[in-house]
Amino acid sequence: MKTKTKLTGRVIFKGDPGYETARKNWDPHTNKFPKVFVFAQKTQDVANAIRWGRENNVPIRPRSGRHSLEVNLSQVNGGLVIDVSDLKTLKLDKKKGTVAVGTGNTVGRIAKTLARQGFIGGFGDSPSVGIGGITLGGGIGPLQRTIGLISDNLLELKMVDAKGRIIRANKKCNSDLYWASRGGGGGNFGVYTQYKFRTIRAPEKATVYTITWPWDQFEEVLKAWQRWAPSVDTRLGSELSIGPKKGGNVSMIGLFLGSKTEAIRLLKPVTSVGTPTKVIKLLPYPEAVNFLLPPDPVLTQKFSNQFSSGFGRRPFPKAAIKSMREFLEKAEGGTPAGFFFLNWGGAVSRVAPRATAFYWRKAKYYVEWNSSWVNKSNAARNIALVRNTRRKLQPYIVGSYINVPDQGIKNSGPVYYGANFPRLRRVKAKYDPENVFNNPQSIPPAR
């Protein structure tokens, strides 16, 4: 190959030692075989990789935490995967209340490091998710009603564009890219290497809780939760999970940035339903973060998953709950599957839908559902189950969350980005007019 640019960083070609490890993703049934992986050690390595890819006409995919729920969004056969997971700098400025992080950091590492220093960092439901992907897609989680989405706290970013140029973006400089990077999704505009977030002081203590019910009480618990969750005190975050009928249960976990006594009172409308088992405790803030971000479970067998998601504007009526029940009765037992709800409102809905790329601000709650399977022969049935459930729930939800991609959604742009999609296409046309950064659901440049 004749090429002017040399690949730098930790470079692993197909056939090299370490290639199989480099190929592994969160979904164990990874079936892509890239030509080369570049594990960037600094921003210049990313710039060199992009130039090399373009000179050699090799498709490019950025990869951050390997948590993409659809593997072919972060890998491509015969392509170049630019992996930024080694970029792990983390600098907290206590005076200014800001933290600058390399995009290779996980949310767990950031949230736990900040908590030990007395500050709040946003997170979702897994410590091993990369800060890159979660930020660019919006970044939902149990603290969002207090501090907003993770992307709402983004002050500045560093990105390498399609020509290999290093760009900074904030409110004053490349403000269109800054706007698009707060909810416009990863893998669209360039390869990001650094973020700067605002952060606020953490309380000394916080109340965490885990409450479980038998599976057959899910309907009454869900009805109570959907009435209660959107309007409860905005210092309270609540995640409600409903597992499959075979071996599953109902669980609600979350935190309240306040006293245990007050938390017990606030939780009452849900805990007074059915026969719950309760664990509610006041912990020093760093321990509360550890409680909510335990290490990812070590799975004894390999699962593949199919997800879908949406935003609820009102409580599910009978017909929606009937479709949920059908799904939960058909989902495979013994695998991580089911429904997951997260309460909305507070700081999330105080931002206008067009102020950032993340559009779905006015919901009452977020909902996602997934089906899992061990044997490949069960893949088609499970994928169909998730997608048929989406069709049945369509009258009761709007949109979908880009960080929970569902390739069954046709013309996905307006579904992920609502009325912000046309503007995102214009930003794409400015920073990547030739659509170098593309995947099956990426944003196409405006013509």
Side-chain angles (χ1 to χ4, degrees):
M1 273 188 191
K2 284 189 177 168
T3 175
K4 298 194 292 266
T5 308
K6 293 272 184 285
L7 289 175
T8 57
R10 189 158 62 86
V11 181
I12 300 174
F13 276 91
K14 194 175 180 179
D16 287 352
Y19 178 79
E20 278 306 309
T21 309
R23 222 168 60 77
K24 285 204 166 44
N25 239 55
W26 180 79
D27 184 325
H29 298 128
T30 302
N31 61 352
K32 297 290 171 199
F33 294 89
K35 179 188 193 69
V36 58
F37 290 87
V38 170
F39 288 85
Q41 307 301 300
K42 50 184 195 279
T43 299
Q44 191 56 48
D45 297 339
V46 173
N48 293 345
I50 291 170
R51 290 194 186 114
W52 182 92
R54 298 206 62 188
E55 286 164 15
N56 291 292
N57 208 19
V58 173
I60 297 168
R61 291 285 165 86
R63 185 175 72 175
S64 171
R66 304 198 194 192
H67 255 266
S68 174
L69 302 181
E70 294 270 14
V71 68
N72 63 357
L73 302 184
S74 65
Q75 294 201 43
V76 60
N77 285 328
L80 159 64
V81 174
I82 302 175
D83 186 297
V84 292
S85 61
D86 289 345
L87 301 175
K88 287 193 166 77
T89 54
L90 200 162
K91 287 183 189 138
L92 171 66
D93 185 328
K94 290 186 175 181
K95 275 206 181 98
K96 289 183 178 162
T98 63
V99 60
V101 302
T103 190
N105 281 288
T106 61
V107 287
R109 182 169 188 248
I110 296 168
K112 289 173 185 185
T113 304
L114 289 179
R116 287 193 298 271
Q117 309 238 17
F119 285 84
I120 289 180
F123 53 85
D125 60 0
S126 161
S128 62
V129 166
I131 191 66
I134 200 170
T135 300
L136 296 173
I140 66 177
L143 285 161
Q144 64 184 21
R145 306 175 81 241
T146 307
I147 65 167
L149 303 175
I150 291 174
S151 58
D152 292 342
N153 296 281
L154 182 65
L155 297 171
E156 190 169 271
L157 59 92
K158 194 193 275 187
M159 185 193 88
V160 187
D161 75 1
K163 289 194 170 137
R165 294 176 301 201
I166 298 165
I167 290 176
R168 283 186 184 278
N170 54 41
K171 222 180 224 167
K172 292 188 175 138
C173 160
N174 296 310
S175 58
D176 51 354
L177 178 63
Y178 172 63
W179 174 87
S181 302
R182 289 180 296 157
N188 279 313
F189 308 104
V191 182
Y192 295 74
T193 60
Q194 196 182 43
Y195 302 99
K196 188 198 242 176
F197 296 98
R198 75 170 156 256
T199 179
I200 58 166
R201 287 269 171 195
E204 276 186 23
K205 295 188 172 179
T207 304
V208 292
Y209 60 88
T210 302
I211 298 153
T212 53
W213 293 263
W215 186 86
D216 57 13
Q217 295 176 10
F218 93 80
E219 290 196 22
E220 47 185 321
V221 174
L222 176 67
K223 283 174 186 166
W225 186 91
Q226 288 191 334
R227 281 193 304 269
W228 162 85
S231 53
V232 69
D233 190 309
T234 58
R235 292 172 295 163
L236 192 147
S238 172
E239 302 172 358
L240 180 71
S241 299
I242 302 164
K245 185 177 184 180
K246 293 183 197 118
N249 67 5
V250 180
S251 67
M252 181 171 78
I253 67 164
L255 87 165
F256 172 61
L257 299 176
S259 73
K260 181 178 170 178
T261 316
E262 204 176 348
I264 290 168
R265 181 181 64 77
L266 291 168
L267 291 165
K268 198 88 184 179
V270 190
T271 55
S272 58
V273 171
T275 54
T277 306
K278 295 179 276 203
V279 176
I280 304 172
K281 46 191 178 183
L282 183 69
L283 295 173
Y285 185 73
E287 284 178 40
V289 173
N290 289 338
F291 179 91
L292 291 165
L293 285 177
D296 286 335
V298 177
L299 300 173
T300 50
Q301 48 188 345
K302 293 180 170 182
F303 301 102
S304 275
N305 296 272
Q306 175 64 43
F307 287 80
S308 202
S309 66
F311 300 89
R313 291 277 176 90
R314 59 194 173 96
F316 273 0
K318 265 188 195 155
I321 292 174
K322 181 171 172 274
S323 298
M324 261 183 81
R325 178 180 279 277
E326 285 168 9
F327 174 90
L328 295 165
E329 284 171 352
K330 286 177 185 167
E332 282 185 33
T335 64
F339 269 80
F340 168 88
F341 295 85
L342 180 63
N343 62 339
W344 217 245
V348 179
S349 53
R350 287 198 286 271
V351 177
R354 290 174 188 259
T356 71
F358 190 95
Y359 183 74
W360 305 109
R361 299 281 181 175
K362 301 300 175 197
K364 297 279 188 248
Y365 55 86
Y366 166 75
V367 56
E368 85 183 35
W369 58 99
N370 79 296
S371 191
S372 305
W373 60 94
V374 178
N375 299 322
K376 274 188 179 166
S377 56
N378 292 334
R381 184 181 74 82
N382 280 281
I383 291 168
L385 177 61
V386 169
R387 291 180 178 167
N388 287 336
T389 301
R390 180 175 188 86
R391 205 183 64 242
K392 291 174 187 168
L393 292 178
Q394 203 58 67
Y396 318 109
I397 58 172
V398 292
S400 191
Y401 181 34
I402 185 59
N403 281 352
V404 179
D406 172 1
Q407 290 186 60
I409 299 173
K410 300 286 170 260
N411 305 317
S412 58
V415 184
Y416 291 138
Y417 308 115
N420 288 333
F421 185 52
R423 184 175 172 191
L424 282 163
R425 291 192 62 192
R426 293 195 294 275
V427 176
K428 171 76 169 176
K430 179 175 165 185
Y431 291 92
D432 182 18
E434 293 168 62
N435 204 18
V436 171
F437 302 106
N438 69 80
N439 63 56
Q441 286 195 329
S442 58
I443 295 167
R447 292 258 178 276

